[in-house]
Every structure is written in C-alpha cells, then in structure tokens.
Amino acid sequence: MDQLAKDTNRSRDSLRLLLATGALCVVWLIILPWWAHRPAMDEQLRFLKERGIDPSAMFYTELEAMEPILQRLESRRKD
C-alpha cells in the first residue's frame, strides 16, 4: 500500500472517531440533560431523591423490584 492510501485511510479513521465522539457528546451534554428536565422525568427523579435513592446506581433489571420497596418506604413514612 502506498503512503497516500495510508494517509487517506488514517484521515478517514480520524474523521470517523471525531464524528462518533461528537455524537456521544451531543447525547451526553445536550439530549440527556434536556430529557432530565422534561416534566415526567423530573417528577420521577424528584420522587427518587426524596426517598434517598440514587437513580444513577439503578440497573434496568432492578426497576420491577423497586415498586414493592418504594411502597414499603412510603408506608413507613406514613406511620
């Protein structure tokens, strides 16, 4: 492979990496914060924060198990 082809491939790979990094930054820094301030998500985050639950530490497999836990916490709070 000649030097020009290697340079072209390297430039193309660098551009792809830059685009992928840019897309990730847009999602992480713009879309996710915007979504967190939507009314439904904001309410859910406030609900968890009031109960001392860190939503960033939850896994999707734990979501079904959370309902009984939250009900127990709520009943203890009322007592």
Side-chain angles (χ1 to χ4, degrees):
M1 204 178 222
D2 66 338
Q3 188 62 32
L4 180 61
K6 286 181 184 179
D7 289 344
T8 302
N9 285 341
R10 189 171 296 136
S11 295
R12 193 173 302 147
D13 290 344
S14 297
L15 181 61
R16 286 181 184 159
L17 177 62
L18 182 64
L19 290 173
T21 302
L24 184 62
C25 287
V26 166
V27 169
W28 194 264
L29 298 173
I30 296 171
I31 295 173
L32 289 178
W34 169 81
W35 189 23
H37 292 291
R38 304 293 302 153
M41 182 60 73
D42 190 47
E43 181 181 332
Q44 181 68 18
L45 292 173
R46 227 178 303 117
F47 176 80
L48 294 172
K49 187 175 182 178
E50 288 171 359
R51 286 152 183 79
I53 299 169
D54 181 5
S56 65
M58 292 175 54
F59 293 98
Y60 70 93
T61 55
E62 297 172 334
L63 294 179
E64 288 181 18
M66 283 303 297
E67 190 61 37
I69 294 168
L70 292 173
Q71 289 175 354
R72 265 193 316 240
L73 286 172
E74 193 64 35
S75 67
R76 286 181 190 167
R77 201 176 250 198
K78 289 178 183 177
D79 294 340

